[in-house]
Amino acid sequence: MARMPPATVEVSDAVVQGLVRDQRPDLGDRPLARVANGWDNATFRLGDDLAVRLPRRVEAVSLILHERRYLPDIARRSPVAVPVPVHAGQPTSGFPWPWSIVRWVPGVAAADVGPAGRGLAAEGLADFLLSLHAPAEAGVPVNPFRGVPLTDRDAVVVERLGDGERYPQAAALRGVWAEACAANAWDGPAMMLHGDLHPGNILLAHDGSLAGVIDFGDVGAGDPAVDLAVGWLMFDAVARQRFMHAFGPAVERDTWMRARGWALILSTAMLSNSDDNPRMFAVGEFGIRQILEG
């Protein structure tokens, strides 16, 4: 069974409560509740308007630091709410790594809403990405797994599609992958990227419009096609056309072709590693269906 990465450190409610009380005693009496246990971070809600983010494995420590460094500027440009850090937590004897207190972003995760309920967010999500995708400053990290040339990820895609039981559509998916890799490579400046944009990290308001975007641990610089892949992970064919149309000439055809390739990378990552996470497994299944539709 393919499972999500195990935690190096299991983060308990008691440990988080102790960290908050020691380093932010003004917040120590707030109610605390675990709300997410992702591949990289555990997230706890702290009162009504804050959340605590802690790495659950050593590979995620740098992601917390990246969020601290780049989210304030992203927030200044973003048309929707993002989890801006308000406290830089320090390691202690009870927890070995940096951690953060961030603004709580209200909303319902799009992963918990049926595809028919996501379409109203299409234009808002495009607006968010247009605000995010600015040329990156010197020093912004390049994630070796996101925003790089598609050919850098060829080996892992070939390996995943070799699992014929998990991917009965492997032949068609190999064709999609070949088309994406044949598209012209990104030749513009390295752009600021979210890097992990999928329905679990997109929040919707009660009316279905975009409320916010969370989990910026993979923020970095590179090809914006990796974020545009959300069009296949998030939307059905009709809403995806509206999402794509909202960018107008700002995004050319080859970038959309690479984006479809990135949707294949991300969807197979979820399907191949989420047997113990039905929510993310469902996102991967939906993405594969949309990729095969076009």
Side-chain angles (χ1 to χ4, degrees):
M1 178 176 285
R3 298 181 180 273
M4 64 188 287
T8 308
V9 173
E10 293 292 348
V11 185
S12 69
D13 292 30
V15 165
V16 179
Q17 194 79 67
L19 290 170
V20 174
R21 285 176 175 165
D22 288 346
Q23 299 187 29
R24 285 298 302 264
D26 56 316
L27 304 174
D29 292 332
R30 288 188 171 209
L32 183 78
R34 185 190 297 267
V35 293
N37 198 52
W39 282 23
D40 295 314
N41 299 293
T43 303
F44 295 74
R45 189 166 183 177
L46 183 64
D48 292 332
D49 60 341
L50 297 173
V52 185
R53 297 255 299 160
L54 308 95
R56 57 186 295 275
R57 56 195 192 110
V58 68
E59 293 86 350
V61 173
S62 62
L63 310 187
I64 288 286
L65 300 177
H66 294 162
E67 288 183 339
R68 288 185 190 174
R69 170 66 179 83
Y70 298 108
L71 263 172
D73 183 60
I74 291 171
R76 283 190 285 271
R77 304 197 310 270
S78 174
V80 295
V82 298
V84 180
V86 299
H87 174 77
Q90 301 303 311
T92 69
S93 58
F95 187 76
W97 302 318
W99 54 280
S100 296
I101 299 177
V102 302
R103 294 290 181 195
W104 174 258
V105 180
V108 178
D112 299 325
V113 175
R118 302 175 190 168
L120 288 177
E123 288 80 7
L125 191 55
D127 287 344
F128 166 75
L129 287 173
L130 286 166
S131 77
L132 174 66
H133 289 166
E137 299 176 358
V140 175
V142 175
N143 186 317
F145 307 110
R146 305 289 168 90
V148 295
L150 284 178
T151 51
D152 288 7
R153 306 296 293 146
D154 182 68
V156 71
V157 172
V158 170
E159 179 183 0
R160 289 172 187 162
L161 294 183
D163 183 349
E165 183 175 349
R166 193 177 292 267
Y167 298 102
Q169 331 90 323
L173 293 172
R174 290 189 187 100
V176 170
W177 180 243
E179 288 180 1
C181 290
N184 290 328
W186 176 250
D187 61 358
M191 306 295 271
M192 288 296 298
L193 308 173
H194 180 282
D196 194 24
L197 198 59
H198 59 71
N201 291 334
I202 296 167
L203 302 180
L204 306 179
H206 291 302
D207 64 358
S209 61
L210 184 67
V213 178
I214 60 174
D215 198 346
F216 284 77
D218 285 308
V219 66
D223 180 359
V226 67
D227 287 344
L228 299 177
V230 74
W232 286 265
L233 301 177
M234 176 83 168
F235 301 121
D236 62 21
V238 173
R240 184 165 57 253
Q241 286 299 316
R242 291 182 20 242
F243 173 72
M244 297 170 75
H245 180 74
F247 289 90
V251 177
E252 58 187 21
R253 181 176 182 273
D254 282 281
T255 298
W256 287 119
M257 292 174 65
R258 294 193 309 279
R260 192 174 174 217
W262 276 107
L264 177 58
I265 293 172
L266 298 173
S267 295
T268 55
M270 294 174 193
L271 277 177
S272 293
N273 297 284
S274 299
D275 287 340
D276 58 344
N277 188 335
R279 186 172 182 253
M280 287 297 98
F281 193 92
V283 172
E285 282 190 315
F286 177 80
I288 292 295
R289 289 198 303 273
Q290 296 306 307
I291 288 163
L292 291 173
E293 284 191 13

